[in-house]
């Protein structure tokens, strides 16, 4: 009986010491998680173990530490998802705006080309109808105006091609962004299923 009495207080003291050490380690885990958030560093088991000066085994076996890390990862995942979604929305809006601007420019150029061609046709018709009555000066002026209009049509046709290429490029970029968004969402879904 005399040997049991001193052992019980030592055991109780050892258990109390172990509880204090465990609680101190859990507090360091919370501090490490807070530090990682402040530094905008991804929360991982290895990073928390390194910063909290605890083993990974402790993080896996201690329920309080494990739940703190899981909560931090979930919070970080939601924030990352929100940041990615905001960034992708801004990118998509930019490409859509460019595509719409290019499409509007293409429509405007096509309308201008059609108007110029109509005007050229009318002028050529006038030249044929009145060619006998016109003086050499009038013919020269109409010919110069016709040449100028043809150059304008060529320029507008070139602008139309350039705008068409820009529209094609903008649509291609938009498809690429849509594919990228789909890939990121798939990665996010995979990451959530792994957790």
């Amino acid at each position: 009986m005399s040997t049991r009495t001193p052992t019980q207080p030592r055991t109780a003291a050892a258990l109390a010491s172990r509880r204090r050490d465990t609680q101190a380690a859990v507090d360091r885990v919370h501090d490490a998680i807070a530090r990682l958030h402040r530094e905008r560093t991804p929360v991982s088991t290895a990073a928390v173990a390194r910063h909290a000066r605890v083993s990974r085994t402790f993080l896996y076996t201690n329920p309080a530490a494990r739940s703190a890390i899981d909560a931090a990862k979930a919070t970080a995942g939601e924030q990352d998802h929100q940041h990615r979604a905001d960034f992708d929305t801004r990118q998509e809006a930019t490409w859509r705006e460019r595509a719409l601007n290019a499409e509007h420019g293409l429509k405007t150029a096509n309308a201008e080309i059609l108007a110029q061609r109509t005007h050229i046709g009318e002028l050529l018709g006038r030249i044929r109808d009145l060619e006998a009555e016109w003086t050499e000066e009038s013919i020269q002026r109409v010919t110069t105006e016709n040449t100028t209009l043809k150059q304008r049509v060529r320029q507008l046709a070139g602008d139309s091609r350039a705008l068409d290429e820009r529209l094609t490029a903008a649509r291609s970029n938009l498809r690429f962004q849509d594919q990228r968004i789909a890939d990121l969402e798939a990665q996010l879904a995979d990451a959530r299923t792994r957790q």
Side-chain angles (χ1 to χ4, degrees):
M1 283 188 154
S2 62
T3 57
R4 285 190 179 179
T5 308
T7 311
Q8 288 176 351
R10 277 193 278 169
T11 305
L15 289 174
S17 174
R18 184 172 178 170
R19 280 191 210 104
R20 281 193 305 272
D21 290 344
T22 302
Q23 186 56 45
V26 170
D27 291 341
R28 287 196 311 271
V29 167
H30 286 289
D31 292 342
I33 291 170
R35 180 177 172 191
L36 291 172
H37 279 305
R38 279 193 310 273
E39 294 173 355
R40 297 187 186 277
T41 304
V43 176
S44 67
T45 306
V48 172
R50 219 177 14 258
H51 285 14
R53 297 178 318 276
V54 295
S55 68
R56 291 185 191 182
T57 305
F58 173 79
L59 295 177
Y60 290 121
T61 57
N62 186 285
R66 187 175 55 235
S67 65
I69 290 174
D70 290 344
K73 284 181 181 178
T75 303
E78 290 171 5
Q79 289 173 349
D80 286 346
H81 176 68
Q82 185 61 39
H83 290 308
R84 284 188 197 130
D86 291 345
F87 176 78
D88 291 339
T89 302
R90 285 193 304 272
Q91 286 292 91
E92 185 177 333
T94 302
W95 287 113
R96 278 203 179 116
E97 185 177 327
R98 288 181 186 174
L100 290 173
N101 287 342
E103 198 167 341
H104 175 70
L106 185 63
K107 286 179 183 177
T108 304
N110 284 333
E112 180 69 23
I113 289 170
L114 183 61
Q116 292 296 332
R117 284 182 179 163
T118 304
H119 189 60
I120 288 171
E122 290 172 4
L123 291 176
L124 287 174
R126 285 183 193 172
I127 288 173
R128 287 188 193 111
D129 290 344
L130 304 173
E131 197 170 34
E133 299 174 7
W134 288 21
T135 64
E136 193 65 30
E137 220 176 84
S138 300
I139 293 173
Q140 184 63 31
R141 184 179 52 80
V142 170
T143 304
T144 304
E145 186 177 343
N146 187 27
T147 304
T148 304
L149 288 173
K150 285 181 180 178
Q151 288 174 349
R152 179 75 175 137
V153 166
R154 279 194 297 273
Q155 178 187 3
L156 288 171
D159 291 348
S160 174
R161 279 191 300 275
L163 287 170
D164 196 16
E165 290 170 2
R166 284 175 56 194
L167 178 61
T168 302
R171 286 178 175 158
S172 174
N173 286 338
L174 187 57
R175 282 192 298 274
F176 173 76
Q177 290 296 328
D178 287 341
Q179 180 63 38
R180 185 165 175 242
I181 288 170
D183 290 345
L184 288 173
E185 288 175 349
Q187 289 173 359
L188 229 135
D190 288 345
R192 284 188 180 156
T193 56
R194 287 183 198 146
Q195 292 177 356

